[in-house]
Amino acid sequence: MPAQRVETSIATVCLSGTLPEKIDAAAAAGFDAVEIFEPDLLGCPSSPAEIARRVAGAGLRTSLYQPFRDPDHTDPARLPVIRERLRRKAALTRELGTDLVLVCSSVHPHAVREDDRLAEQLHALGAVAAEQGVRLAYEALAWGTHVKDYRHSLRVARRAAHPNVGVCLDSFHVLSRGDDPGGLGWARAEELLFLQLADAPRLSMDVLPWSRHHRLFPGQGGFDLVGFVDAVLAAGYTGPLSLEVFNDVFRQSDPRATALDAMRSLRHLAEGVDRSTGEAGTAVALPTPPRPLHWAFAEIGGAPGAAADGARRTLEQLGFYQEGQHQSGPITLWRSGSVRVVVNARGTGGARLTSLGLRVPEPGAAAARARGLLAPVVTRSVGPGEVDIPSVTAPDGTWLQFCDLENSWLQDFFPLCAADAEVAAERPAALVFGGVDHIALPQGFGGFDRAALFLSAVLDLQPTAVVDIAGPDGLVRSRALLPPVADEGGGVRLVLNVAPSNALLRGRTGGGGHLALVSSDAVAAAAEFRSRGGRVLDVPGNYYDDLEARGVLDPGTLARLRENSVLYDVDEHGELLHFFTANLGPDLFLEVVQRIGGYRGFGAGNAAVRLLAQTAAAEVAGTAPGAGGPA
Amino acid sequence: MPAQRVETSIATVCLSGTLPEKIDAAAAAGFDAVEIFEPDLLGCPSSPAEIARRVAGAGLRTSLYQPFRDPDHTDPARLPVIRERLRRKAALTRELGTDLVLVCSSVHPHAVREDDRLAEQLHALGAVAAEQGVRLAYEALAWGTHVKDYRHSLRVARRAAHPNVGVCLDSFHVLSRGDDPGGLGWARAEELLFLQLADAPRLSMDVLPWSRHHRLFPGQGGFDLVGFVDAVLAAGYTGPLSLEVFNDVFRQSDPRATALDAMRSLRHLAEGVDRSTGEAGTAVALPTPPRPLHWAFAEIGGAPGAAADGARRTLEQLGFYQEGQHQSGPITLWRSGSVRVVVNARGTGGARLTSLGLRVPEPGAAAARARGLLAPVVTRSVGPGEVDIPSVTAPDGTWLQFCDLENSWLQDFFPLCAADAEVAAERPAALVFGGVDHIALPQGFGGFDRAALFLSAVLDLQPTAVVDIAGPDGLVRSRALLPPVADEGGGVRLVLNVAPSNALLRGRTGGGGHLALVSSDAVAAAAEFRSRGGRVLDVPGNYYDDLEARGVLDPGTLARLRENSVLYDVDEHGELLHFFTANLGPDLFLEVVQRIGGYRGFGAGNAAVRLLAQTAAAEVAGTAPGAGGPA
């Protein structure tokens, strides 16, 4: 990426709401420019000039008007009509404050097949554009009648041989076809008028509905956007990086939040491009990702009274001891080896993970990176003598608190106990945990892709494939974020879950928030936990009968799993033994995980059974919001 | 269809909730049997024997246990493990109260390729099955490693040559491949052990996710289920018709409502099969669909006080006059030519279409048909001297009231006015409406496919393709139900809309409920309506500038459309002019429609502009629940 600042732009179609709401959201997120999408304009009561003033007043510029469709036709009698249409749209484009019109390759059955004839018609449109003082950026739609790929659009645009005709590149149209930007070596910089960026999950479906419903912001999908942008910049492109994302969920979400996601994705993308080219050129220089990354603590909040008591009791039954008491409130600190859990008996909404402490070499830099990626800073009162932990808020409201290597944050707690080593000697061997295996955060509607982008960008984690889990209320979507290979000294694992829309409509969460502890003997841990009065989530006998029928375990092991409600999974790398505690809140439980021989998953094969068992347990308890049948 | 009663069955995977909830829902909907889906069993704390008792206690039987996966393997060492797995699953199947196990064609990379060897392995499994007293129904999964189509599964099953081995047919796996049931001519009746039915929309995507997420009940999708079932029955199949539908929305919906949909779809399907074969054989003999079908009235309810006043005022401004006053409440009857609208100033929830009156030759038969299709009967108090109109409730709560050809229902109203002919003479020519063009009903989450099935079955309407409309809150899904060709003497058109999930989450409706009137001059109607003080939904000038740029209208016409906020659309058959009134309720407005030259659509091309204009209007008014920006 060249050293000058790269302009950022977003198409209004990415955002929900009315055109003024979209413009304001783009401005609030710090974009430089907006592409105006024609349907947004047609439904807007403001005139183009008023819209241009609104854009300018918001500190933006209009980067492009789009789309001008079906520019060519086999019937010569149609051409004057098309030219007149362009003349008017070009005038409108000028009123909107830009000189760039996106022209899509035709999807019309009567589109021109021969390149020469098509180029001739584009040349004539170029003349109209020149009269009106605009330029035409010709884009190959992946589903165009004849022109489907950018190499073809480049050829035709060059053959049009008009200074007001160039091309628009769209990463989706290129990468969805399995194409690569290699053909850009052949392009001249002045031909590259515009660049639209979209990521997407790799789906096997028709490219049109894939494009119209499932695009994502860069970093959220499966395309190599860094490589793509690298290649376009290397070809001499100097225009804006403009996001054009059609997504069914984003269309329904708060446009201001979506615009922040969009800008965050561009900043993260630019960082990737700089890293790839070895040059610094992004608009915002971000501190490098925090490494190594370790868990400092997990905080359970939102649970006053009995709920906090229940959390503390469960921790004690798992062998945790109380290490400290906060100076300024009903906040207790629980420890087991390297694992620390804070129980904050304040707040409302039911016990959940309200804050995650991350131990990093440079907490200030980590927080600055998060702020550079548009994370809101946590403003909280720091009492006299208390440590100010640099903290930001994730999109789901969870605090990320960056703690130093010395764990200075512990100074806020009055120590209540001897050193861990002394206590550990009294702890049953089965309840010695090796650390935090992973932490799962439930997400609300629309929060899933947002959280994946936020956490992967801020903490430099790698999102894995999305998994659907069939629960009694519908499909739960789940996705793990793993440490990059480069973070071998540390590494935290997060899992994001989102409950089905209708479950959310009915006020259920069902996202399965939890803290998973590493055990070297999950069966013994379950037995010891139970002997200390702990409540393990009951697993049905039918589950063990199935394991038995599959013949994957010896009878003795199977009997011990069955007795202790420990579940089993296997992947090509190894095996997993794990159990769950009874729920501590409507959407919070603890898990104990024993990975054997390099198992890499998170027990997704058992998640459907867990969801049913949790529903059954909630029905028995008659308490949790998850209780009762679907409605 | 043979004359004996055909057994009905449903796979538990069709329904949400826990296994007992699914069983109870299937029983409540009147099914004869359930297929038990393995994951439902594994997550259930009840033993197989207890489940069998629950099934029997609910008046059902277990028709099948499924699925037994990957029955074959290229490695002979794996075969004893597979046979032991089958032995245990067979025993379990017996405990569940059935003798039928569904065996899927293998999706394993080490599946056996050669038919002989595969048949040999199936024969060995047949021997295990015989020992345990069960039969194996071998099913070709469309994405099987080698066995992908039912012809292949039939060949292999026959070559297995074991009396306990036959096939299961699944309409989805056959029809999704573009295959047809023609190969069944070759099958023997005793080989056809089971029949699973699912419909689906015609999508161009990988068959696996299509199958796992988008199946529908028969009649809701695009497959020819009647032809398929016809062919299977003609081949001598005598087992149950069993629904197996994986659908993301059904998984989230009330299992009792979904089970009713399922049973309704089977009854409608059976009717179609009988109609096709000319034999009567369905479990429930349904009266023939009501024909010809005409609108008797539309009732606006849920709007006491000012809202009812607003509705009445708008009707007057559209040239309606008050024809009657209900005997027993604040209910007024409004008329314009053949169009009658009832305004019921009782109820809550905001003005909406609460009841649709349909004029039919035999109201009792029409209601009996609806009841046979599991429609709840409306129970309401009929005052002395009042007419009892046979009525049922659609799944969205709208009443369907079947009125006789003599319009006896008018007797409930005191006449307030002279005959229509006299009043009509005073009505402005522009406000003479030719009837009701269509009525649009907004649906809640999960109600879209349900309503399409209900209305198409009860009224014998033809569902058309689903259209997505990009509104400011997300994509609105829309689908029209059209009269069958056979109903040329009458015919009502309905449109179903469902707002985006998140709009529903935020308490918005946005489904665009409306009553559309037929005009011979929409521009004059709009002008006259406005001159009488009526409020037309303002259409932005940008919309008309676009029409002008497209060059589709002469300047004079365009100017008149612009002046009166009348919209324009065109399809291959003709043109449409139409306008909308300001909203009468959060999700109710009136439309005036002029079809020119055989235009067949519903103005979907203008729906995005309408949604934005309605949002803008609600923002100005600051009242409707649709007001305000997305959040």
Side-chain angles (χ1 to χ4, degrees):
Chain A
M1 184 168 283
Q4 79 271 22
R5 187 179 181 289
V6 176
E7 199 185 28
T8 55
S9 168
I10 184 167
T12 53
V13 72
C14 301
L15 305 171
S16 71
T18 61
L19 187 50
E21 288 167 341
K22 294 171 185 222
I23 291 167
D24 293 351
F31 279 91
D32 299 311
V34 286
E35 292 179 35
I36 306 278
F37 183 58
E38 184 166 84
D40 287 321
L41 176 74
L42 301 195
C44 180
S46 309
S47 73
E50 286 166 347
I51 291 163
R53 280 197 292 278
R54 179 127 193 173
V55 168
L60 298 168
R61 75 171 188 92
T62 306
S63 55
L64 177 97
Y65 184 63
Q66 65 128 323
F68 186 82
R69 294 191 192 276
D70 300 335
D72 49 287
H73 205 288
T74 52
D75 178 2
R78 294 291 306 159
L79 300 184
V81 177
I82 292 171
R83 287 176 203 153
E84 174 61 16
R85 177 159 57 93
L86 178 63
R87 198 185 63 70
R88 290 176 180 270
K89 294 296 183 187
L92 165 65
T93 300
R94 292 302 301 266
E95 287 179 65
L96 286 170
T98 181
D99 72 341
L100 206 53
V101 179
L102 184 142
V103 177
C104 296
S105 66
S106 178
V107 298
H108 201 281
H110 292 141
V112 171
R113 181 187 294 273
E114 306 77 22
D115 281 4
D116 279 345
R117 199 168 157 203
L118 175 53
E120 201 176 287
Q121 295 193 12
L122 283 182
H123 182 93
L125 294 182
V128 173
E131 268 170 41
Q132 298 295 323
V134 303
R135 295 169 299 146
L136 307 181
Y138 183 57
E139 178 185 53
L141 297 183
W143 53 88
T145 308
H146 302 303
V147 178
K148 302 174 199 288
D149 70 78
Y150 77 99
R151 298 165 205 262
H152 196 174
S153 66
L154 266 170
R155 278 201 307 278
V156 170
R158 188 171 295 180
R159 201 171 295 190
H162 195 289
N164 291 57
V165 176
V167 299
C168 170
L169 298 170
D170 181 314
S171 62
F172 180 87
H173 288 294
V174 178
L175 301 174
S176 65
R177 295 173 52 87
D179 201 352
D180 62 57
L184 289 176
W186 180 74
R188 298 181 201 127
E190 64 272 22
E191 291 172 325
L192 306 178
L193 300 188
F194 207 72
L195 173 60
Q196 292 179 320
L197 297 175
D199 202 345
R202 295 202 168 275
L203 300 174
S204 293
M205 61 189 297
D206 262 11
V207 69
L208 179 66
W210 187 16
S211 171
R212 293 267 170 90
H213 299 282
H214 300 288
R215 290 187 180 206
L216 292 169
F217 293 124
Q220 293 182 319
F223 290 162
D224 175 15
L225 268 297
V226 167
F228 187 84
V229 171
D230 245 5
V232 178
L233 296 178
Y237 175 73
T238 56
L241 304 184
S242 192
L243 296 163
E244 191 200 28
V245 170
F246 303 80
N247 179 292
D248 287 359
V249 173
F250 300 171
R251 281 183 190 276
Q252 302 186 40
S253 305
D254 177 350
R256 290 186 172 247
T258 306
L260 282 175
D261 291 348
M263 179 53 89
R264 182 176 297 135
S265 83
L266 272 189
R267 291 195 179 171
H268 189 43
L269 173 66
E271 178 187 46
V273 171
D274 283 359
R275 215 188 279 180
S276 154
T277 58
E279 295 177 44
T282 59
V284 177
L286 297 173
T288 56
R291 285 183 191 156
L293 194 57
H294 291 98
W295 293 117
F297 64 86
E299 178 170 326
I300 298 171
D309 292 343
R312 288 188 290 254
R313 192 166 55 245
T314 300
L315 287 168
E316 277 192 310
Q317 289 158 341
L318 278 170
F320 282 71
Y321 66 95
Q322 188 176 346
E323 185 182 25
Q325 167 73 45
H326 200 271
Q327 297 175 21
S328 60
I331 306 174
T332 51
L333 173 63
W334 297 80
R335 183 167 180 192
S336 172
S338 68
V339 183
R340 286 188 166 98
V341 179
V342 173
V343 178
N344 189 336
R346 296 183 302 198
T348 56
R352 64 189 185 282
L353 295 169
T354 47
S355 175
L356 305 180
L358 291 150
R359 203 152 58 85
V360 299
E362 295 177 75
R369 173 181 177 79
R371 288 195 303 275
L373 288 162
L374 305 168
V377 174
V378 170
T379 48
R380 52 173 203 143
S381 58
V382 178
E386 282 183 29
V387 178
D388 188 12
I389 312 170
S391 305
V392 297
T393 308
D396 65 1
T398 308
W399 289 7
L400 298 186
Q401 303 195 265
F402 295 104
C403 307
D404 59 28
L405 296 180
E406 293 74 37
N407 275 333
S408 308
W409 64 278
L410 289 171
Q411 294 168 23
D412 291 356
F413 290 84
F414 298 118
L416 282 190
C417 189
D420 183 59
E422 296 172 37
V423 182
E426 295 163 30
R427 189 180 301 141
L431 296 179
V432 174
F433 298 114
V436 172
D437 185 84
H438 64 273
I439 287 177
L441 298 174
Q443 301 297 313
F445 182 91
F448 190 64
D449 290 311
R450 173 172 299 154
L453 172 64
F454 178 88
L455 294 167
S456 62
V458 167
L459 303 179
D460 193 34
L461 302 177
Q462 302 294 319
T464 60
V466 174
V467 178
D468 281 330
I469 297 154
D473 287 339
L475 297 179
V476 173
R477 302 185 77 209
S478 182
R479 188 176 200 183
L481 303 175
L482 302 182
V485 177
D487 198 15
E488 279 182 3
V492 302
R493 285 185 284 223
L494 282 162
V495 174
L496 303 172
N497 296 320
V498 64
S501 304
N502 200 33
L504 297 171
L505 268 168
R506 288 178 292 135
R508 299 197 190 192
T509 48
H514 63 272
L515 165 70
L517 304 168
V518 175
S519 169
S520 59
D521 187 342
V523 174
E528 185 67 36
F529 174 57
R530 291 169 68 220
S531 79
R532 294 159 69 103
R535 285 172 54 222
V536 169
L537 180 73
D538 283 335
V539 176
N542 298 323
Y543 170 85
Y544 296 100
D545 293 344
D546 179 62
L547 276 185
E548 194 173 351
R550 285 157 57 194
V552 287
L553 290 173
D554 66 87
T557 302
L558 189 62
R560 274 178 287 123
L561 298 189
R562 190 191 289 264
E563 191 185 329
N564 291 292
S565 279
V566 174
L567 296 109
Y568 174 83
D569 196 19
V570 60
D571 67 10
E572 63 271 41
H573 307 287
E575 296 169 296
L576 175 74
L577 298 177
H578 60 145
F579 72 89
F580 306 101
T581 68
N583 267 32
L584 306 181
D587 211 358
L588 177 66
F589 54 89
L590 304 181
E591 180 181 8
V592 173
V593 167
Q594 178 187 359
R595 293 172 184 269
I596 302 168
Y599 175 91
R600 293 193 186 166
F602 294 85
N606 293 324
V609 166
R610 168 176 62 76
L611 288 167
L612 275 168
Q614 287 173 331
T615 300
E619 278 172 4
V620 170
T623 50
Chain B
M1 186 166 279
Q4 77 272 20
R5 187 179 183 288
V6 175
E7 200 186 27
T8 55
S9 168
I10 184 167
T12 54
V13 72
C14 301
L15 305 171
S16 70
T18 61
L19 187 51
E21 288 167 340
K22 293 172 186 224
I23 291 167
D24 293 351
F31 278 91
D32 300 311
V34 286
E35 293 178 33
I36 306 278
F37 183 57
E38 185 165 85
D40 286 322
L41 176 75
L42 301 194
C44 180
S46 308
S47 73
E50 286 166 346
I51 291 163
R53 279 196 293 278
R54 179 126 193 176
V55 168
L60 298 167
R61 76 171 187 93
T62 306
S63 55
L64 178 100
Y65 183 64
Q66 64 131 321
F68 186 83
R69 295 193 191 276
D70 299 334
D72 49 288
H73 205 288
T74 53
D75 179 1
R78 293 292 304 160
L79 301 184
V81 178
I82 293 172
R83 286 176 203 153
E84 175 61 15
R85 177 158 58 93
L86 178 64
R87 198 185 63 73
R88 289 176 182 268
K89 295 295 182 186
L92 165 64
T93 300
R94 292 302 301 266
E95 287 179 65
L96 286 170
T98 181
D99 72 341
L100 206 53
V101 179
L102 185 144
V103 177
C104 295
S105 66
S106 179
V107 298
H108 201 280
H110 293 142
V112 171
R113 182 186 295 272
E114 306 76 21
D115 281 3
D116 279 343
R117 197 166 159 205
L118 175 53
E120 201 177 288
Q121 295 192 12
L122 283 183
H123 181 93
L125 294 181
V128 173
E131 267 170 42
Q132 298 295 323
V134 304
R135 295 169 298 146
L136 307 180
Y138 183 57
E139 178 186 53
L141 297 183
W143 53 89
T145 308
H146 302 302
V147 178
K148 302 173 200 287
D149 70 78
Y150 77 99
R151 297 164 205 263
H152 197 173
S153 66
L154 266 170
R155 278 201 308 278
V156 170
R158 186 172 295 180
R159 201 172 295 190
H162 194 289
N164 291 56
V165 176
V167 299
C168 170
L169 298 170
D170 181 314
S171 62
F172 181 86
H173 289 293
V174 178
L175 301 174
S176 66
R177 296 173 51 86
D179 202 352
D180 62 57
L184 289 175
W186 179 76
R188 298 181 201 127
E190 64 271 23
E191 291 173 325
L192 306 178
L193 300 188
F194 207 71
L195 174 59
Q196 292 179 320
L197 296 175
D199 201 346
R202 295 202 169 274
L203 300 174
S204 292
M205 61 189 297
D206 263 11
V207 69
L208 179 66
W210 186 17
S211 171
R212 294 266 170 90
H213 298 282
H214 300 287
R215 289 187 181 206
L216 292 169
F217 292 125
Q220 293 182 316
F223 292 162
D224 175 16
L225 269 296
V226 168
F228 187 83
V229 171
D230 245 5
V232 178
L233 296 178
Y237 175 74
T238 57
L241 303 185
S242 193
L243 295 163
E244 191 201 27
V245 170
F246 304 80
N247 179 291
D248 287 0
V249 172
F250 300 170
R251 281 184 189 275
Q252 303 185 40
S253 304
D254 176 350
R256 290 187 171 246
T258 307
L260 282 175
D261 291 348
M263 179 53 88
R264 181 176 297 134
S265 82
L266 272 189
R267 291 195 179 172
H268 189 43
L269 173 66
E271 178 187 46
V273 172
D274 282 359
R275 215 188 278 180
S276 154
T277 59
E279 293 177 44
T282 58
V284 176
L286 297 173
T288 56
R291 284 182 193 156
L293 195 55
H294 291 98
W295 293 117
F297 65 86
E299 179 170 326
I300 297 171
D309 291 345
R312 288 189 289 255
R313 193 164 55 243
T314 300
L315 288 167
E316 278 192 309
Q317 289 159 341
L318 278 169
F320 282 72
Y321 67 95
Q322 188 176 346
E323 184 182 28
Q325 167 73 46
H326 200 271
Q327 298 175 21
S328 60
I331 307 174
T332 51
L333 173 62
W334 296 80
R335 184 170 181 190
S336 172
S338 68
V339 185
R340 286 190 166 95
V341 179
V342 173
V343 178
N344 189 337
R346 296 182 302 197
T348 55
R352 63 189 186 282
L353 295 169
T354 48
S355 175
L356 304 180
L358 291 150
R359 202 152 59 85
V360 299
E362 295 178 74
R369 174 182 176 78
R371 287 196 303 274
L373 289 162
L374 306 167
V377 174
V378 170
T379 48
R380 53 173 202 144
S381 58
V382 178
E386 282 185 27
V387 178
D388 187 13
I389 313 170
S391 305
V392 298
T393 308
D396 66 1
T398 309
W399 289 8
L400 297 186
Q401 303 195 266
F402 295 104
C403 307
D404 58 28
L405 296 180
E406 293 74 37
N407 275 331
S408 307
W409 63 278
L410 290 172
Q411 294 169 22
D412 290 354
F413 291 84
F414 298 118
L416 284 189
C417 189
D420 183 59
E422 294 171 38
V423 183
E426 295 164 29
R427 188 179 302 139
L431 295 180
V432 173
F433 298 114
V436 171
D437 185 85
H438 64 272
I439 287 177
L441 298 174
Q443 301 298 312
F445 183 91
F448 190 64
D449 291 312
R450 173 172 302 153
L453 172 65
F454 177 88
L455 294 167
S456 62
V458 168
L459 302 179
D460 193 33
L461 302 178
Q462 303 295 318
T464 60
V466 174
V467 178
D468 281 330
I469 296 155
D473 288 338
L475 296 179
V476 174
R477 302 186 77 208
S478 182
R479 188 176 200 184
L481 304 175
L482 302 181
V485 177
D487 198 16
E488 279 182 3
V492 303
R493 286 186 283 222
L494 283 161
V495 173
L496 303 172
N497 296 319
V498 64
S501 303
N502 200 34
L504 296 171
L505 269 169
R506 288 178 292 136
R508 299 197 190 193
T509 49
H514 62 273
L515 165 68
L517 304 167
V518 174
S519 170
S520 59
D521 187 341
V523 173
E528 184 68 35
F529 174 57
R530 292 169 68 219
S531 78
R532 295 159 69 103
R535 284 173 53 222
V536 169
L537 180 72
D538 284 334
V539 176
N542 298 323
Y543 170 84
Y544 296 99
D545 293 344
D546 179 62
L547 275 187
E548 194 174 352
R550 285 158 57 193
V552 288
L553 290 173
D554 66 88
T557 302
L558 189 62
R560 274 177 288 123
L561 297 190
R562 189 192 288 266
E563 190 185 329
N564 292 292
S565 279
V566 174
L567 296 109
Y568 174 83
D569 196 21
V570 61
D571 68 9
E572 63 271 41
H573 306 289
E575 297 169 296
L576 175 74
L577 297 177
H578 59 145
F579 72 88
F580 306 101
T581 69
N583 268 30
L584 305 181
D587 211 359
L588 178 65
F589 53 89
L590 304 181
E591 180 181 8
V592 173
V593 167
Q594 178 186 0
R595 293 173 185 269
I596 302 169
Y599 174 91
R600 291 192 188 166
F602 294 85
N606 294 323
V609 166
R610 169 176 62 76
L611 287 167
L612 274 168
Q614 287 172 331
T615 300
E619 277 172 5
V620 171
T623 51

